[in-house]
Amino acid sequence: MKFKTSKLVRFHQCDPAGIVFYPQYLVLCNETVEDWFAQAHGVDFFDLHAKLQRGVPMRHLEAEFLAPTVHGETLEFSLVVEKVGGTSIKIRIEAWHGEQLRFCAHQTLVWADVSGPRAVPIDAEWRERFTRYLETPNE
Amino acid sequence: MKFKTSKLVRFHQCDPAGIVFYPQYLVLCNETVEDWFAQAHGVDFFDLHAKLQRGVPMRHLEAEFLAPTVHGETLEFSLVVEKVGGTSIKIRIEAWHGEQLRFCAHQTLVWADVSGPRAVPIDAEWRERFTRYLETPNE
Amino acid sequence: MKFKTSKLVRFHQCDPAGIVFYPQYLVLCNETVEDWFAQAHGVDFFDLHAKLQRGVPMRHLEAEFLAPTVHGETLEFSLVVEKVGGTSIKIRIEAWHGEQLRFCAHQTLVWADVSGPRAVPIDAEWRERFTRYLETPNE
Amino acid sequence: MKFKTSKLVRFHQCDPAGIVFYPQYLVLCNETVEDWFAQAHGVDFFDLHAKLQRGVPMRHLEAEFLAPTVHGETLEFSLVVEKVGGTSIKIRIEAWHGEQLRFCAHQTLVWADVSGPRAVPIDAEWRERFTRYLETPNE
């Protein structure tokens, strides 16, 4: 299953060259992960951190910036899980403008106890939730 | 040769978990590249864009986030060139806190005509400049 | 008439104290002005700048920060025009969480030719548009 | 006495109009306050929050944006105290480029117990510290 969310690119996310300042794509990726937790799993980032004492810090990131985006354009972000590990997950996030892939990232997020912070095993409930978004052959 | 620049991590670069919000490492990488152009090559980003009509948009990024950083800490950023290509360069940026490597990134920057924007060949003058920062075996 | 738009407060807009980092309220104000132009006037910021050669730089700002906001909360932003001047407008932006006013700002935006940039007279068409959002006694 | 600190304006602090995106002036003000605590009072923001359990949230802000700034320019920020109240201080921050005043702000910062957060009385030690930076007639 694929999670999808739309993002309108803002004036303040663009630089003097008139296009998205590249770290802002990662800010939008973080919003996509927030949306995934809140909308797909019913747990927003505030509760995840404050109540469940869990966070998902970035461990490894690989990203391709394929075509520039200007403010006023809407990007369709998608998220799939590539692997559910013991204490981390690998996800792929893409940003499309119509038929054009603008940005693609592979990210390894650690399942962390925020009081550490330190990596902790993903429990059965979350493992089941993450597994639901594992990429399927036709996606 | 290695280019080095210090960055004091700011309150506003950290998130509710109390540590650097990961896209802010990329913002600091961008500042490091700005510092490299201004201090090592004598051409700041304003002149690079406005006078020379050149920019260095990100094409590919791979980054590892190895240990968390809190505000008030100073990170020592270093930059070396891994490869000078026809229309792009590959660089490696590291951020150290004392003896601890906190962050490491490999980045492919396109040499772009900002009026396009489109990739253009790196001319002899800039090729020579970038080559000076090619990694040497002992670094 | 009052323009209204909702903003979900994000993880990355909050600081290590766990609440919205105050300049982020101004970023959200800028998004509110963007939304007003796009949704109420049918001209988004990209077209405003690139086609009409107009921008609305900030000249004067007064803001009160009345209660803290945490990420995951939704703020209802409202915008009314307090005055339409010769080359500028005065607006008031409020951010409410339920019945609680969290933030209130009075802003003077210049009507600027972006090629200058310099202030230019507000033409009849835009004067009419802005006037429609003048605060009325019952608001 | 006046506290002074220099800030090099960065590419990422500017918007598609090529000038500083106005909320970034407030981010630079926050850095100026951080520098004031660390350099003038010997207590950085990390220790202020984590050890002393104190913070300085913004309560009221008035700012004038007098002339645009482009990236690559250095602004000289100055900070003076206008008033030391019971549970807050009023400060004035200016940003100059050579002889030109680009930005001026009056800010009311609350002296807060971050565990609340709630305003608390400024103790004698900090009162003395803040009073040292009270504006004098010749400034």
Side-chain angles (χ1 to χ4, degrees):
Chain A
M1 196 160 53
K2 217 172 222 175
F3 176 74
K4 295 185 181 184
T5 183
S6 288
K7 302 287 170 191
L8 173 61
V9 172
R10 298 293 182 164
F11 184 74
H12 67 83
Q13 293 165 333
C14 296
D15 63 26
I19 58 176
V20 171
F21 178 59
Y22 83 85
Q24 294 287 353
Y25 278 105
L26 286 322
V27 175
L28 292 174
C29 283
N30 203 68
E31 289 193 4
T32 298
V33 173
E34 277 184 275
D35 292 345
W36 183 47
F37 273 83
Q39 296 169 27
H41 304 310
V43 179
D44 75 12
F45 255 44
F46 188 83
D47 286 348
L48 182 71
H49 288 80
K51 293 187 186 165
L52 303 185
Q53 296 284 307
R54 289 293 176 270
V56 283
M58 185 65 54
R59 178 61 183 75
H60 185 267
L61 164 68
E62 191 190 343
E64 285 190 281
F65 304 86
L66 300 162
T69 296
V70 299
H71 60 106
E73 289 185 326
T74 296
L75 296 177
E76 303 297 332
F77 278 77
S78 69
L79 181 159
V80 290
V81 175
E82 294 186 322
K83 189 186 171 191
V84 182
T87 60
S88 65
I89 57 172
K90 290 188 186 180
I91 61 175
R92 188 177 77 245
I93 294 180
E94 295 176 353
W96 293 80
H97 183 67
E99 298 297 308
Q100 187 181 38
L101 181 60
R102 295 277 175 87
F103 167 85
C104 180
H106 301 265
Q107 305 185 334
T108 302
L109 307 180
V110 177
W111 188 244
D113 182 331
V114 295
S115 67
R118 61 193 176 83
V120 289
I122 299 173
D123 60 58
E125 182 185 349
W126 282 98
R127 181 168 300 277
E128 193 276 323
R129 282 176 174 166
F130 295 146
T131 301
R132 246 182 286 150
Y133 286 86
L134 266 179
E135 195 168 19
T136 52
N138 292 331
E139 283 181 319
Chain B
M1 194 158 53
K2 216 172 224 174
F3 175 74
K4 295 185 180 185
T5 183
S6 288
K7 302 285 171 192
L8 173 60
V9 171
R10 299 292 183 163
F11 184 74
H12 67 83
Q13 292 164 334
C14 296
D15 63 28
I19 58 176
V20 172
F21 178 60
Y22 82 86
Q24 293 288 352
Y25 278 105
L26 287 322
V27 175
L28 291 175
C29 284
N30 204 67
E31 289 194 4
T32 298
V33 173
E34 277 184 274
D35 291 344
W36 183 47
F37 273 83
Q39 295 169 27
H41 304 310
V43 179
D44 75 12
F45 255 44
F46 188 83
D47 287 348
L48 182 72
H49 287 80
K51 293 187 185 165
L52 302 187
Q53 295 286 304
R54 289 295 175 270
V56 283
M58 185 67 53
R59 177 63 183 76
H60 184 269
L61 163 68
E62 192 190 342
E64 284 189 283
F65 304 86
L66 299 163
T69 296
V70 299
H71 60 104
E73 289 185 327
T74 296
L75 296 177
E76 304 297 331
F77 279 76
S78 69
L79 182 158
V80 290
V81 175
E82 294 186 321
K83 188 186 170 192
V84 182
T87 60
S88 66
I89 57 173
K90 289 188 186 178
I91 61 175
R92 189 178 75 246
I93 293 181
E94 295 176 354
W96 291 80
H97 183 67
E99 298 297 308
Q100 187 182 38
L101 181 60
R102 296 275 176 89
F103 168 85
C104 178
H106 301 266
Q107 306 185 334
T108 303
L109 307 179
V110 177
W111 188 243
D113 181 331
V114 294
S115 67
R118 60 190 177 83
V120 290
I122 299 173
D123 59 58
E125 181 185 350
W126 282 98
R127 182 167 299 277
E128 193 277 323
R129 283 176 173 166
F130 294 146
T131 301
R132 246 182 286 152
Y133 285 86
L134 266 179
E135 195 168 19
T136 52
N138 293 330
E139 282 180 319
Chain C
M1 196 159 54
K2 217 172 223 174
F3 175 76
K4 294 185 181 183
T5 184
S6 286
K7 302 285 170 193
L8 173 61
V9 171
R10 298 293 183 164
F11 184 73
H12 67 82
Q13 292 164 333
C14 295
D15 62 27
I19 58 176
V20 172
F21 178 59
Y22 83 87
Q24 294 287 354
Y25 278 106
L26 286 322
V27 175
L28 292 174
C29 283
N30 204 68
E31 289 193 4
T32 299
V33 172
E34 276 184 276
D35 292 344
W36 183 47
F37 272 84
Q39 296 168 27
H41 304 310
V43 179
D44 75 11
F45 255 43
F46 188 83
D47 286 349
L48 183 71
H49 287 81
K51 294 188 185 164
L52 302 186
Q53 296 284 304
R54 289 293 176 272
V56 284
M58 187 64 56
R59 176 63 182 75
H60 185 268
L61 163 68
E62 193 190 341
E64 286 190 280
F65 304 85
L66 299 162
T69 296
V70 299
H71 61 104
E73 290 185 326
T74 296
L75 296 177
E76 303 296 331
F77 279 76
S78 69
L79 181 160
V80 290
V81 175
E82 295 187 322
K83 190 187 170 189
V84 182
T87 59
S88 66
I89 58 172
K90 290 188 185 179
I91 61 176
R92 190 177 74 246
I93 293 180
E94 294 175 356
W96 292 79
H97 183 68
E99 298 296 307
Q100 187 183 39
L101 181 60
R102 295 277 175 89
F103 167 85
C104 179
H106 302 266
Q107 305 185 334
T108 303
L109 307 179
V110 176
W111 188 244
D113 182 333
V114 294
S115 66
R118 62 192 175 82
V120 289
I122 299 172
D123 59 58
E125 181 185 350
W126 281 98
R127 181 168 299 277
E128 193 277 322
R129 283 177 174 166
F130 294 147
T131 300
R132 246 183 287 149
Y133 286 86
L134 266 179
E135 195 169 20
T136 52
N138 292 333
E139 282 181 321
Chain D
M1 192 158 57
K2 217 172 223 173
F3 175 74
K4 295 185 180 183
T5 184
S6 287
K7 302 286 171 192
L8 173 60
V9 172
R10 298 292 182 165
F11 184 73
H12 67 83
Q13 293 164 333
C14 295
D15 63 26
I19 59 176
V20 172
F21 178 59
Y22 83 87
Q24 294 286 353
Y25 278 105
L26 286 324
V27 176
L28 292 174
C29 283
N30 204 68
E31 289 194 3
T32 299
V33 173
E34 276 184 275
D35 292 344
W36 183 46
F37 272 83
Q39 296 168 28
H41 304 311
V43 179
D44 75 12
F45 255 43
F46 188 83
D47 287 346
L48 182 71
H49 288 80
K51 294 189 185 164
L52 302 186
Q53 296 285 305
R54 289 294 175 270
V56 284
M58 186 65 54
R59 178 63 183 71
H60 185 269
L61 163 68
E62 192 191 342
E64 286 190 280
F65 304 85
L66 299 161
T69 296
V70 298
H71 61 104
E73 290 185 327
T74 296
L75 296 177
E76 303 297 332
F77 278 76
S78 70
L79 181 159
V80 291
V81 175
E82 293 186 323
K83 190 186 168 188
V84 182
T87 60
S88 67
I89 57 172
K90 291 189 185 179
I91 61 175
R92 190 178 74 245
I93 293 181
E94 295 175 355
W96 292 80
H97 182 69
E99 298 297 307
Q100 187 183 38
L101 182 60
R102 295 276 175 88
F103 168 85
C104 179
H106 301 267
Q107 306 185 335
T108 302
L109 307 179
V110 176
W111 188 243
D113 182 332
V114 294
S115 67
R118 61 190 175 84
V120 289
I122 300 172
D123 60 58
E125 182 185 349
W126 281 98
R127 182 168 299 278
E128 193 276 323
R129 282 176 174 166
F130 294 147
T131 301
R132 246 182 286 150
Y133 285 85
L134 266 179
E135 193 168 24
T136 52
N138 292 331
E139 282 181 318

